[in-house]
Amino acid sequence: MSDVYPVPDRVRIGTNNPITSMDTYRSAAAHAQNDPDQFWLDETRRNVVWRTPPTLGVSGNFRNIVDSPITWFADGTLNITESCVDRHAAEHPNKVAIVWESDTPGEGYNITYKELHQQVCQAANALSGMGLKKGERAIIYMGMVPEAAIAMLACARIGAVHSVVFGGFSAEAIRDRVRDCGAEIVITQDQGLRGTKAIPLKNIADQALQGESSVKQVLVVQRTGGDVTWVDGRDVWWHDAVGNASTEHTAVECAAEDPLFILYTSGSTGKPKGLVHTCGGYITYTQYTHRTVFDLRDDDVYACVADVGWITGHSYIVYGPLANGATTVMFESVPTFPDAGRYWDLVERHKVTIFYTAPTAIRALAAQGDAFVTKYDRSSLRVLGTVGEPINPDAWEWYYNVVGERRCNIVDTWWQTETGGIAIAPIAPATPTKPGSATLPMPGILPVLLDTDGERITGPGEGRLCIDHPWPGLARTVWGDHDRYGAVYFTTFRGYYFTGDGCRRDADGYYWITGRVDDVINVSGHRMGTAEFESALVSDESVAEAGVVGYPHPIKGQGVYAYIVLQPGVTGSEALAKELNLTLRRLIGAHARVDLYQFVPGLPKTRSGKVMRRILRKVAEGEPEKLGDISTLADPSVVEAIVAGCKL
Ligand code: WT7
């Protein structure tokens, strides 16, 4: 049995959390399970600003998602920016909403709620003036500047649907997303800055938009003043269009189930899916989980160092914290610039009380030694969060002992782009923790473990992680393809939402995520589909076939291992491997690279021609002795060659 860590006194005392103990947790969870409608209606009426408060809870169910889609609060109307901005600008105008930590330490600035309100109104007026209407889509391709959050909120304010594309993605990836959602407007910046490295965001966006006629206008924030390509008549500077707009704007009334945003994410097969989150349920769920899990207090300084290009940035840099009237940090840089002490320097300078990052960063920083941490004053810290991948107990212990000096609670938060917000995690002042476990479900989340036959596992055991009942934050559909939504999430195990993760439940009912059980890999907290890698690789003229799998990596969590069958006459080399990584960068983005290439005579296939991915995985995991039954292989000699040439 692993160690249990009680909640440190500092985290327990002084809270005004609705959940302060395991008893209150159990009663909230029971209430949410027995009467989900009432639980969430009470929650949303209390903490979200509605124009027409809803009287309806959930409708639809997981058994027939295609004919009876999930809705929450369907008769309510609202504009979520009134929850995120207007009420706080009225109640505490001078409270800092956004602390911007610029790439170079000390060059950032703060934005108060009053200023945020003015700037969101200006941006909303500018976007309307450019012709963007309710229900239309805007792509946001930016780095971590305050204007990224302002652009998201401005879209929401006019009822337009944003889709943020992470600033590491390639022109090809942007074009795919522009086409898929039929975007009318692109919002970008001249250049992004990360550790003094300039990323030519505007020029990449321009490449993406060549020949794309749906996009009528491009709004460009000037961040560095670097040279950019420019299309007269289409492109507009933010400081001209937004800077000169009126600071007054009446938010557009939206239905609870109107789409708020689309966020693309990778799955096992095909191109990334545009998951759709809707206004009422998403804002209800993100504000609730943010306030509860992190135990938000009035004077907290909250820093989530993720990027707005991913769901973590949407839910826990922008929407959740702002809905709660919190002070939220936006971090433009990287954890190792100017050195590996950057996060703790940030904590000291801004007196950060809640800090939220990914296990990969914790592992990378732990490897640099404790001096980078202990050099800075971390006495302000109270809650330390992690997200994105399983955290190994060693990294957990380092975070707890060295960074938090045993005074902070660690909240290991399990969730997904699809869940909208945190689904399994400790509630800081209430839940005793165990290193490596995401602990217990949020009220309203009913995790179920199923075996491969779909049988429910009760008590301790390990299986596929599914969820039994809709919660408000669940993504409602895949943009333009509701059937795909049904097929991907609700057909593997009928009647349940299937997460794609494996999971163990211990004797205390604690959950331990074991990682993906599908063909999705998680590299440094970035979710990628092996099929996307494979299709990019085979587009290279030297490649005949490619099989891509993940393998355990000490810092990144998973590394990417590619088996490549070359075209006749081509020979494998270091140079070719480099060239293939450039192809991946061009087709997917800077964050997509293969760590290990193995050139092989063929891929292991069954006699019917199906690639046996299990074999590729076992070899890449360094366990060729566990290949299992290979008698169905068409050509067993291929496996011998693969095992003999293994790169590990
Ligand atoms: C996948 C979702 C949720 C925001 C960031 C990632 C993995 C996420 C944890 C955790 C173990 C985790 C899962 C999940 N994951 N958090 N605390 N422990 N695994 O969002 O890109 O949609 O990826 O990330 O495998 O399915 P995402």
Side-chain angles (χ1 to χ4, degrees), residues 207-344:
Q207 285 170 31
L209 294 181
Q210 258 166 35
E212 295 306 303
S213 54
S214 77
V215 175
K216 308 283 185 303
Q217 303 228 263
V218 178
L219 184 58
V220 190
V221 171
Q222 193 169 47
R223 166 66 182 96
T224 65
D227 286 341
V228 291
T229 46
W230 198 260
V231 178
D232 282 326
R234 186 197 68 180
D235 301 350
V236 192
W237 286 112
W238 177 282
H239 50 259
D240 291 333
V242 177
N244 293 323
S246 160
T247 55
E248 278 167 37
H249 179 272
T250 307
V252 170
E253 185 163 335
C254 297
E257 285 295 338
D258 280 346
L260 173 61
F261 66 83
I262 303 169
L263 188 60
Y264 287 84
T265 191
S266 299
S268 309
T269 52
K271 294 219 171 193
K273 300 178 284 289
L275 287 159
V276 178
H277 283 283
T278 58
C279 297
Y282 176 81
I283 204 68
T284 301
Y285 196 68
T286 51
Q287 63 80 30
Y288 174 74
T289 48
H290 177 256
R291 184 159 35 80
T292 314
V293 169
F294 297 105
D295 190 37
L296 187 71
R297 304 182 189 184
D298 285 347
D299 48 5
D300 272 328
V301 177
Y302 165 85
C304 167
V305 288
D307 191 286
V308 289
W310 310 110
I311 191 71
T312 306
H314 284 62
S315 301
Y316 298 113
I317 296 175
V318 180
Y319 288 114
L322 294 178
N324 286 326
T327 297
T328 183
V329 173
M330 288 183 75
F331 178 64
E332 186 182 33
S333 196
V334 295
T336 49
F337 175 75
D339 61 38
R342 180 63 184 271
Y343 281 165
W344 326 119

Side-chain angles (χ1 to χ4, degrees), residues 265 310-312 356 359 386-391 412-419 424 436 438 499-501 513-516 520 522 525-527:
T265 191
W310 310 110
I311 191 71
T312 306
Y356 193 23
T386 84
V387 61
E389 44 175 328
I391 181 164
D412 171 5
T413 63
W414 175 87
W415 57 294
Q416 312 178 289
T417 306
E418 294 85 345
T419 67
I424 303 179
T499 64
D501 281 337
I513 309 294
T514 54
R516 301 290 303 199
V520 169
N522 190 326
H526 294 161
R527 171 169 163 185

Side-chain angles (χ1 to χ4, degrees), residues 556-637:
K556 298 199 260 191
Q558 282 189 299
V560 186
Y561 196 112
Y563 299 88
I564 303 286
V565 184
L566 292 168
Q567 294 288 5
V570 184
T571 39
S573 64
E574 277 297 308
L576 180 57
K578 282 216 178 80
E579 185 192 309
L580 293 178
N581 267 344
L582 287 177
T583 301
L584 289 170
R585 172 184 276 265
R586 182 167 53 77
L587 295 180
I588 306 176
H591 57 297
R593 61 186 296 277
V594 168
D595 299 279
L596 294 172
Y597 279 99
Q598 185 183 349
F599 298 102
V600 294
L603 296 178
K605 288 183 186 161
T606 61
R607 278 183 279 267
S608 62
K610 194 171 176 320
V611 175
M612 293 180 77
R613 304 185 62 83
R614 176 174 56 87
I615 293 180
L616 299 180
R617 252 182 246 124
K618 282 291 167 211
V619 174
E621 284 165 5
E623 294 184 327
E625 68 286 358
K626 295 194 191 153
L627 290 184
D629 180 15
I630 56 168
S631 61
T632 56
L633 275 172
D635 176 5
S637 73

Side-chain angles (χ1 to χ4, degrees), residues 11 22 29 46 112 135 185-186 188 192 207 243 251 335 339 351 382 418 429 452 465 472 495 514 564 598 621 632:
V11 189
M22 289 312 280
R46 228 182 343 242
T112 65
I185 278 186
V186 170
T188 185
Q207 285 170 31
D339 61 38
K351 301 210 169 17
R382 193 180 75 251
E418 294 85 345
T452 39
L465 178 63
T514 54
I564 303 286
Q598 185 183 349
E621 284 165 5
T632 56

